[in-house]
Amino acid sequence: MSNAAVVNYAATKGSVEIRNIPLPLIGEEDVLLEVANVGVCGSDLHQWTADHSWPVNYPVVLGHEFGGEIVELGSRVTGWKVGDRVVSETAAVIDPNNPMSRSGLYNLDPTRKGFGYGVDGAMTRYVRVPARCLHHVPANLSFEQACLTEPCCVAYNAVVENTRLKPGDRVVVLGPGTIGILCAAVAKLCGAEVAVVGLEQDTGRLNIAKQYGCEAIIGNATGWSKERDGLGADCVIDAAGASITLKTAMELVRPNGCITKVGWGPQPLGFSLDPLVQKNIALQGSFSHNWPIWERVIALLASGQLNVRPIIGGVWPITQWHEAFEKMHKGEVVKSVLKPV
Ligand SMILES: [Zn+2]
């Protein structure tokens, strides 16, 4: 039995193709998951265009935003059964004895390996998943939506756990990609007034931010940030994926405000960090998510308080991965979703 998969096979640009891979063998603490849907992430695009900044175990099946049904259980798996509807966290390999893991922050274990770069991911029909990564998906939540639990968890961690927001805070989100828009949606849930900032070519994606009740700004957000008392935004969430936007964030934030950086960009900085000192700004990085965040986000998705439908630009069979990747890469859609063939 074989399995069509979207495989990233080398470190050179464009090294992604459909390959038939054998059915994965599961270990005693794993389950075999039949994938229902898998989201395309900015990081999948970065590995495709070879401008990523993390080590990849080539060849690897892409995809870490997924959900589906359990079809087989390892001999030592308890608490799960065949047919359970689940989504999976991304930390496929961790060292359970690492001090970060032991304190519940296994997402920050430096030896962590994730699906889609460290081990085979979910852009295929069957994927091997350690049972500790699983979360139940309620029957009323479709897999097309549930597969986007992961980016929602990235946003929840950035906005709720790593930023202290108060109702009425003015929040600027830089970057109208999936993470930017979801950060904006979560900040709205926290009672903030939110503006999402993008470029001229981002008009389509900014219109989706408006569906979450956000202000959409093309270019300079200084006016909106300073509208109240002339001092700037309470918080800037940087989800733009380039180092240079930190400069903009430092300009937009008010004295004693905060900046949370969730977008990656490997480029070196070429500007002074003095405004950080002068304005007494708290600069916070935010990376991934852990178990309690997943449980909370699934509850928000199931209750409809957090709705991912507006960001889903389409669902493609994995054999049409190229079109799905291309549309997201060009910013024609915020999020592409795939389904196995
Ligand atoms: Zn992702």
Side-chain angles (χ1 to χ4, degrees), residues 24 31-35 66 115 120-122 124-129:
V31 304
L32 189 66
L33 197 74
E34 181 170 5
V35 177
F66 61 103
F115 291 106
D120 280 340
T124 182
R125 183 169 290 279
Y126 296 103
V127 60
R128 164 191 170 162
V129 180

Side-chain angles (χ1 to χ4, degrees), residues 317-333:
I318 58 164
T319 41
Q320 288 173 34
W321 67 273
H322 192 267
E323 186 181 322
F325 278 35
E326 194 75 43
K327 280 204 181 292
M328 214 172 126
H329 187 58
K330 287 184 181 153
E332 288 173 28
V333 301

Side-chain angles (χ1 to χ4, degrees), residues 286-305:
S286 186
F287 179 68
S288 75
H289 31 66
N290 63 355
W291 192 90
I293 295 174
W294 277 73
E295 287 294 303
R296 176 57 54 91
V297 165
I298 291 167
L300 287 171
L301 290 170
S303 71
Q305 289 177 86

Side-chain angles (χ1 to χ4, degrees), residues 62-335:
L62 290 172
H64 60 266
E65 303 175 357
F66 61 103
E69 277 187 17
I70 296 176
V71 291
E72 192 187 331
L73 298 167
S75 59
R76 292 179 59 194
V77 174
T78 54
W80 300 96
K81 59 182 192 306
V82 168
D84 278 349
R85 303 174 81 241
V86 294
V87 283
S88 170
E89 294 190 30
T90 51
V93 179
I94 56 165
D95 171 6
N97 291 316
N98 185 279
M100 297 315 294
S101 303
R102 298 203 71 159
S103 42
L105 295 174
Y106 51 84
N107 53 317
L108 303 179
D109 167 8
T111 67
R112 165 196 190 273
K113 286 193 182 73
F115 291 106
Y117 69 90
V119 305
D120 280 340
M123 289 186 185
T124 182
R125 183 169 290 279
Y126 296 103
V127 60
R128 164 191 170 162
V129 180
R132 66 170 168 79
C133 293
L134 301 174
H135 294 262
H136 284 287
V137 174
N140 68 326
L141 183 60
S142 75
F143 280 124
E144 282 180 11
Q145 294 170 70
C147 75
L148 303 184
T149 307
E150 196 270 340
C152 293
C153 290
V154 170
Y156 190 95
N157 194 26
V159 174
V160 179
E161 304 292 343
N162 283 321
T163 308
R164 255 163 286 279
L165 284 188
K166 292 193 287 291
D169 276 352
R170 221 159 229 240
V171 175
V172 173
V173 177
L174 302 177
T178 301
I179 299 301
I181 291 178
L182 291 174
C183 283
V186 174
K188 287 295 286 183
L189 284 177
C190 296
E193 273 188 77
V194 185
V196 180
V197 185
L199 306 170
E200 201 73 59
Q201 65 263 32
D202 297 322
T203 313
R205 296 192 296 175
L206 288 170
N207 281 335
I208 289 167
K210 284 187 194 163
Q211 293 183 40
Y212 288 95
C214 300
E215 197 78 24
I217 296 173
I218 292 171
N220 193 335
T222 309
W224 189 86
S225 303
K226 296 191 172 176
E227 211 169 71
R228 278 190 192 159
D229 60 5
L231 288 173
D234 297 284
C235 179
V236 178
I237 311 271
D238 183 351
S243 300
I244 190 75
T245 50
L246 181 59
K247 190 163 187 280
T248 309
M250 290 191 300
E251 286 161 12
L252 297 175
V253 74
R254 67 192 290 108
N256 208 35
C258 62
I259 298 170
T260 299
K261 191 159 177 20
V262 61
W264 296 75
Q267 314 84 350
L269 296 174
F271 53 87
S272 165
L273 293 178
D274 282 355
L276 205 64
V277 180
Q278 191 184 26
K279 291 167 88 173
N280 202 105
I281 299 163
L283 175 61
Q284 170 77 50
S286 186
F287 179 68
S288 75
H289 31 66
N290 63 355
W291 192 90
I293 295 174
W294 277 73
E295 287 294 303
R296 176 57 54 91
V297 165
I298 291 167
L300 287 171
L301 290 170
S303 71
Q305 289 177 86
L306 183 58
N307 180 9
V308 291
R309 278 201 199 92
I311 65 166
I312 299 175
V315 181
W316 288 264
I318 58 164
T319 41
Q320 288 173 34
W321 67 273
H322 192 267
E323 186 181 322
F325 278 35
E326 194 75 43
K327 280 204 181 292
M328 214 172 126
H329 187 58
K330 287 184 181 153
E332 288 173 28
V333 301
V334 175
K335 176 61 84 178

